[in-house]
Amino acid sequence: MQFRLLENKARPKWEISRWTYSPEKKRAIKETLGTFPCYYSMVSRDILDKCTTQEKAEVLEWWRVTSEAVNRERVRSQVTKLPVIFKDLETL
């Protein structure tokens, strides 16, 4: 499984894809399972429906770890901004 952040200034998206071997072409082929906006709270059902049981487990674990990291960063940035907010209030 491959997880890639597509940098789009308006709406960044996640792309989930997998590599499969094609005997006819005698090489690996990238199959994109789908994309979904970063602000979604969960991986798109359309993507999960295309996954095997093992791939679903991998995708859901990736999403859990990624969303935890995003939430940690969000909290960290809020905590570092709090002292500045209180300092700004002193000047009012």
Side-chain angles (χ1 to χ4, degrees):
M1 299 299 292
Q2 182 178 16
F3 309 98
R4 196 167 68 126
L5 181 61
L6 303 176
E7 293 292 338
N8 179 342
K9 290 182 182 181
R11 292 189 180 207
K13 292 182 176 183
W14 286 109
E15 176 187 82
I16 299 178
S17 54
R18 66 177 161 213
W19 290 90
T20 54
Y21 181 74
S22 170
E24 302 86 36
K25 296 185 178 184
K26 296 182 181 174
R27 64 183 176 96
I29 297 173
K30 180 181 174 184
E31 177 188 357
T32 300
L33 300 176
T35 61
F36 62 99
C38 289
Y39 61 83
Y40 275 24
S41 61
M42 192 57 206
V43 176
S44 167
R45 173 63 49 200
D46 295 338
I47 293 172
L48 291 175
D49 288 345
K50 296 175 188 174
C51 294
T52 64
T53 303
Q54 175 62 37
E55 289 172 336
K56 269 185 197 175
E58 191 177 334
V59 168
L60 292 174
E61 177 63 12
W62 164 80
W63 183 251
R64 184 188 66 77
V65 170
T66 302
S67 59
E68 282 178 7
V70 167
N71 288 334
R72 268 195 313 273
E73 179 58 28
R74 188 176 297 134
V75 168
R76 189 196 65 75
S77 70
Q78 289 172 351
V79 168
T80 58
K81 289 177 185 173
L82 278 177
V84 174
I85 292 169
F86 288 125
K87 192 171 187 174
D88 289 345
L89 288 174
E90 289 175 1
T91 61
L92 290 178

